[in-house]
Amino acid sequence: MPYHHRNTSRRALALAAMGCCAALTGCAASQASAPPDGKSETSLRSSSADPTPRTESGTRSRPPLPADATSGTPSSDSLAGRTVVIDPGHNSGNFQHTKEINQKVDIGTNRKECDTTGTSTGADYTEASFTLDVSHRLRDLLAARGAEVVLTHDGDRPWGPCIDERARIGNAARADAVVSVHADGSAVGNRGFHVILPARVRGGSADTAEIVAPSRALGEQIAGRFALATGTSPANYIGSGTGLDVRDDLGGLNLSTVPKVFIECGNMRDPKDAQLLSSPTWRQKAAQGLADGIAAYLKG
């Protein structure tokens, strides 16, 4: 769940309703109902057998390009030449580095904590573990289609990165799309996913004017494909059934200069959603929905 998602009044806009599935499963939460462990804006470990080349701006994957079986040329499903940044929410080490993650960073419009710990299920399955796993699965799916994939971190840092650095990684990569993966910590009974879109903000180093429209297009594609792949529905507690929410208080969105969204895949504090989020099978479906949504957006 994104940082400062609790006790914060939603600045959600009513967005065009999209046809999604009817079975509800939870996602992002308001801070009023989130657990006391807090949340931030992004955590990840490499699942690849081969060493992954690293750069200063993130961990990159440059896989072989998918080719047509007969011609050997890139297939119509190829994402060759496109760059996607995956931002796994939070970091498992944040719990041991509260001083560091509580330091304030500039998000353009104001200052906020560097990061938070994230939430967890009742069985102590942490959001950071969830986001890391889903992000790896998503990375592999996108890489198989030929995309260059950049991770904001790969579980190889003691804490963080801070929300402003996460935004800079996407910007430096000149990403065609950035997706920050999260799960929510709302009240029991709140179920369903939602995608968080950037509001139009301008202040300090934040200016989202150029990314509001493409980010909405990205978010709409992800919401529709995520529902189809997972069989889950938009959140029943935010977004008025659209699966979309607009916010102006998230540094990861405010500081982005490339199309970017957050997704709250489910509500970890609801037992039914927690059961889904804890399932490797469901997490693969979640990654597939995200990959399909990103690909649909990139192909226009």
Side-chain angles (χ1 to χ4, degrees), residues 5 27 37 49 51 55 57 64 75 86 88 95-96 102 137 150 166 177-179 203 245-246 257 263 273 295 297:
H5 202 61
C27 283
D37 54 6
T55 72
S57 62
S75 72
I86 305 171
F95 291 96
Q96 286 75 47
N102 283 328
R137 295 171 187 271
V150 178
R166 292 173 188 266
V178 183
V179 176
D245 182 30
V246 177
T257 60
I263 182 166
D273 268 12
Y297 165 74

Side-chain angles (χ1 to χ4, degrees), residues 43-129:
S43 183
L44 224 135
R45 177 175 55 228
S46 175
S47 62
S48 174
D50 296 324
T52 307
R54 304 283 174 88
T55 72
E56 185 175 343
S57 62
T59 301
R60 295 178 176 269
S61 171
R62 294 182 176 86
L65 303 182
D68 182 88
T70 56
S71 67
T73 59
S75 72
S76 60
D77 193 44
S78 172
L79 296 179
R82 312 310 291 269
T83 299
V84 179
V85 171
I86 305 171
D87 180 27
H90 312 289
N91 183 324
S92 295
N94 283 358
F95 291 96
Q96 286 75 47
H97 294 273
T98 55
K99 179 180 179 180
E100 290 86 350
I101 67 171
N102 283 328
Q103 63 187 322
K104 297 290 182 70
V105 298
D106 184 5
I107 67 166
T109 54
N110 63 309
R111 296 179 66 82
K112 295 183 72 170
E113 287 78 7
C114 157
D115 204 349
T116 59
T117 60
T119 189
S120 64
T121 68
D124 294 327
Y125 178 53
T126 67
E127 182 184 3
S129 295

Side-chain angles (χ1 to χ4, degrees), residues 183-262:
D184 211 358
S186 189
V188 174
N190 288 345
R191 304 191 64 195
F193 69 89
H194 73 264
V195 181
I196 303 174
L197 314 176
R200 184 159 185 161
V201 299
R202 185 174 183 179
S205 55
D207 186 351
T208 61
E210 297 297 320
I211 69 164
V212 168
S215 295
R216 176 181 290 275
L218 172 62
E220 289 174 347
Q221 289 288 0
I222 287 177
R225 302 305 177 102
F226 190 86
L228 289 173
T230 62
T232 61
S233 293
N236 63 359
Y237 61 103
I238 191 169
S240 302
T242 66
L244 301 172
D245 182 30
V246 177
R247 290 180 62 175
D248 64 2
D249 63 325
L250 299 178
L253 296 180
N254 288 2
L255 297 175
S256 183
T257 60
V258 293
K260 182 174 182 177
V261 300
F262 281 51

